[in-house]
Amino acid sequence: MKLATLKDGTRDGRLIVVKRDNSAYALATNVALTLQAALDDWDTKEPLLRALAAQLEAGAVQSRPLDQTALHAPLPRAYEWIDGSAYINHVMLVRKARNAEPPATLKTDPLVYQGGSGDFLAPTADIPLADEAWGLDFESEVCVILGDTPQGTKAADAGKHVKLLMLANDVSLRNLIPDELAKGFGFFQSKPATAFSPFAVTPDEVGPAWREGRIHLRLRSVLNGVQVGDTDAGPEMHFSFFELIQHLCKTRGYTAGTILGSGTVSNVDRARGISCLAEQRMIETIEEGKPKTPFMKPGDTIDIEMMGEDGQSVFGRISQKVVKPS
């Protein structure tokens, strides 16, 4: 089942169900006005939404053509946005880029940060950049949306709390990160608004590609019309989403509508390309002594997408352009 949020002039939009081929949608507001409302009562609302999705596929309910530019992020705002860094190759490369040692617990204790969640970017929204010196970078990621998840949840039980899957562009301002982290208090200004894919899907939508808390599909990143990444999101995700959830829940629980990101998808095999510019710049430094790839500037574009085994775009496409703020 594919869900999305249609822009309607309000903060939270209207919930819709989307056909598997992404061609059309049906309003779901008779079940739940918003995606958050559905998540708040998921056990009751999910079967009703699935029934509506089946009707949509069968042509048994009124539908309308889908324009992905008319969509918000699935959750235009969320109670929490928590991002991990589960791909060790990415951690190693970006730490080298800022001359920082990886933590001693790199392989045993997940890295996470809590980002701003009050105003996400729509999947086709422009990325505002006030100063090119800040070093704007895209970060292509996979995410899950949680239902109510209690404190003490273990990895073995975490799967039942994962309600939906989606993609993210976790925008970063690389040149602001070192000074912020040097304060010992985490990211803030260096992490502006995040964008999410047009569709959030139930795990069964990707079939056997969803297993052991990982999405075993390739994530494409296209920069200025050129594919720069075709990374495999599954095998090298060192900490699964289930393990990340166990880590998060050590000291507190989380409410329905919490979003958890994987961190930048990254593969050791350089033929798979990149999911962020920081990795490309570090590879250039290793091989050539200094980086030559610039960070993003106004006019640049980034597209992020994941195809299923059937060749269909699972989550729709994040398609953004960098602009100067008006």
Side-chain angles (χ1 to χ4, degrees):
M1 177 172 63
K2 292 190 178 187
L3 302 175
T5 295
L6 189 67
K7 295 175 183 176
D8 69 348
T10 68
R11 286 181 183 267
D12 299 308
R14 287 183 289 169
L15 180 62
I16 61 173
V17 172
V18 178
K19 285 193 72 172
R20 285 196 172 93
D21 66 2
N22 307 331
S23 65
Y25 73 91
L27 285 171
T29 48
N30 62 326
V31 177
L33 184 61
T34 66
L35 179 54
Q36 183 60 54
L39 289 162
D40 285 339
D41 190 18
W42 191 249
D43 289 345
T44 300
K45 302 301 185 184
E46 183 192 17
L48 299 174
L49 291 169
R50 284 189 181 276
L52 179 59
Q55 290 178 313
L56 176 62
E57 294 295 333
V61 68
Q62 182 180 6
S63 66
R64 303 173 187 178
L66 179 67
D67 174 7
Q68 294 186 30
T69 64
L71 300 179
H72 277 300
L75 285 171
R77 52 179 173 169
Y79 286 107
E80 298 197 60
W81 157 231
I82 302 162
D83 200 18
S85 192
Y87 296 87
I88 287 179
N89 186 61
H90 173 74
V91 177
M92 296 295 291
L93 286 173
V94 297
R95 289 294 177 110
K96 286 181 180 179
R98 58 176 189 259
N99 296 315
E101 290 295 322
T105 58
L106 177 65
K107 295 184 178 181
T108 59
D109 198 29
L111 294 167
V112 296
Y113 85 92
Q114 188 164 346
S117 61
D119 187 18
F120 292 134
L121 294 177
T124 56
D126 291 337
I127 304 171
L129 177 61
D131 189 341
E132 288 184 42
W134 292 345
L136 177 68
D137 199 356
F138 70 93
E139 292 193 62
S140 304
E141 304 190 10
V142 291
C143 309
V144 299
I145 300 177
L146 303 180
D148 290 317
T149 308
Q151 180 180 343
T153 296
K154 301 301 182 185
D157 298 320
K160 64 186 179 184
H161 301 296
V162 174
K163 305 306 182 185
L164 297 164
L165 316 176
M166 60 181 180
L167 307 180
N169 178 13
D170 178 40
V171 181
S172 291
L173 300 172
R174 296 292 187 188
N175 293 339
L176 299 186
I177 289 176
D179 287 345
E180 284 206 305
L181 294 186
K183 299 176 184 179
F185 216 55
F187 301 113
F188 194 80
Q189 290 180 336
S190 52
K191 289 291 186 177
T194 302
F196 292 93
S197 56
F199 315 134
V201 311
T202 48
D204 60 284
E205 195 69 26
V206 299
W210 172 251
R211 59 184 185 272
E212 299 177 343
R214 298 172 176 87
I215 304 175
H216 290 262
L217 293 171
R218 288 185 179 173
L219 184 61
R220 297 179 183 174
S221 301
V222 177
L223 180 67
N224 294 328
V226 177
Q227 182 169 297
V228 294
D230 188 28
T231 52
D232 195 333
E236 293 178 61
M237 188 179 182
H238 182 76
F239 297 104
S240 72
F241 280 113
F242 299 162
E243 292 166 315
L244 291 174
I245 291 168
Q246 175 175 300
H247 178 77
L248 297 185
C249 291
K250 179 177 180 178
T251 60
R252 62 187 174 100
Y254 296 84
T255 192
T258 295
I259 304 172
L260 172 60
S262 65
T264 304
V265 177
S266 181
N267 296 155
V268 171
D269 181 3
R270 292 182 183 172
R272 295 262 60 84
I274 58 165
S275 297
C276 72
L277 292 172
E279 288 195 8
Q280 180 62 35
R281 288 167 58 88
M282 190 59 238
I283 291 167
E284 291 165 354
T285 300
I286 292 169
E287 295 181 347
E288 304 174 37
K290 62 180 181 180
K292 63 181 183 182
T293 298
F295 288 118
M296 298 182 76
K297 62 185 183 303
D300 286 347
T301 61
I302 180 64
D303 296 271
I304 301 167
E305 194 168 18
M306 180 174 272
M307 301 299 179
E309 299 294 348
D310 60 359
Q312 293 286 347
S313 179
V314 179
F315 305 99
R317 182 183 300 167
I318 297 173
S319 185
Q320 298 183 275
K321 182 178 181 178
V322 180
V323 300
K324 288 187 176 182
S326 58

